[in-house]
Amino acid sequence: MITRGETTRLCRVCVAAWGGAAVSWELSTPGMLVPSLATCAAFLLLATACALHIRRGLLAELRRAQEIAGAAQRALLRPLPGRIDGLALAAAPLSASRGAAVGGDLYEAVPTAHGVRVVIGDVRGHGLPALGAAAAVLGAFREAAYDEPSLGGVLRRMERALGRHVRDRARAEHPSACPAEPESPAAEEFVTVLLLQIAADGTVRALNCGHPWPYLIRPAPVPETCAAGSRGSVPDPALRAGAGQPDAQPGAGALSPRPATDVRPLGGDTLPPLGVVPLPPVLRAHACGELRPGETLFLHTDGAEDARDPAGRFFPLPSVLARAPLTPARLVAGVHAALLRHTGGRLADDVALLVLRNDRH
């Protein structure tokens, strides 16, 4: 996609080339100097007018492309509600493609009869080419999350949807090599996926297909003197979770200092990414403990931890989480700001962040 800066550079090159050619032609031909200079000026004015006209057309095309990309993003990654069944949520994507508003990352959270079900994933590649696979996987999750009683059933539905998308794409790209289904060449497409189910009692179960495990953030204990001076009183869970401390600081993207917190990654058995090998016959969700009131889950794609600065150093995500605000929206904004500062605004891969905090009593 052509960006605004590239459009400006193109216009300058056109004007310089046209003007240089005109001046060289006029000065190299015999004749009086003043008429030649006047002819050169006329050529330069004509070149400038043509370049401005081309620039306006390119900018209009760029605006239309950005509007289409924004509409695709809103259709694929719908804005999450701020609260689902007592869980506070916040999420945001960040595309690595210049001028693109959406990439290959996906996320969703829906309330079901089995608890709040959450998905976050990363399609191979980034930018608009990965949009089709992300749409297929995310659409399957939005249907299966309500119907399937187990996380394994949801994951199988997502695998079948990805398989159909890959076969359809292969037939479209190689129609002469696809006379029948068995002979269809498989397109190279796979998706890392993390499925979570948070029950009403805070129990967390997960199925992971090659995706980074989330971080569990436990807030620092609040001294008893902070609870209105009453000795032995229990502070409000929202206060323990950080609401009221970092929120009072100006600047949504800033990392405000606060007491150290316990940040540790969840772990368990990891399956290969969807699309690499078939899923095993038996799928058992991994028990990840509980998400207690005031605790936060930080989900991310591998573009966050794999991001490097100009010196080649990886992004220190755990240390950033340890001092970032615990309010979900501010946590997402703070990590995004720190990530852009670390990379100098040049990401090598798409990044998606999703934060859930248990505000249940």
Side-chain angles (χ1 to χ4, degrees), residues 305-317:
E305 289 185 310
D306 293 345
R308 301 194 186 198
D309 63 4
R313 294 185 295 265
F314 287 102
F315 180 63
L317 182 58

Side-chain angles (χ1 to χ4, degrees), residues 56-93:
R56 282 195 295 268
L58 291 176
L59 288 178
E61 182 180 355
L62 174 61
R63 283 192 294 269
R64 287 193 296 269
Q66 289 176 337
E67 291 174 358
I68 294 172
Q73 181 188 33
R74 289 188 294 271
L76 180 65
L77 300 179
R78 298 176 301 195
L80 296 180
R83 189 175 300 273
I84 297 178
D85 288 351
L87 301 179
L89 290 86

Side-chain angles (χ1 to χ4, degrees), residues 25-33 36:
W25 172 264
E26 288 295 332
L27 295 181
S28 62
T29 56
M32 299 182 65
L33 181 61
S36 298

Side-chain angles (χ1 to χ4, degrees), residues 87 114-118 196-205 291 297 356 358 360:
L87 301 179
H114 312 284
V116 177
R117 287 180 168 174
V118 182
L196 291 181
Q197 178 177 291
I198 305 172
D201 59 358
T203 303
V204 180
R205 303 184 70 82
L291 183 65
L297 275 178
L356 304 99
N358 189 351
R360 300 163 179 165

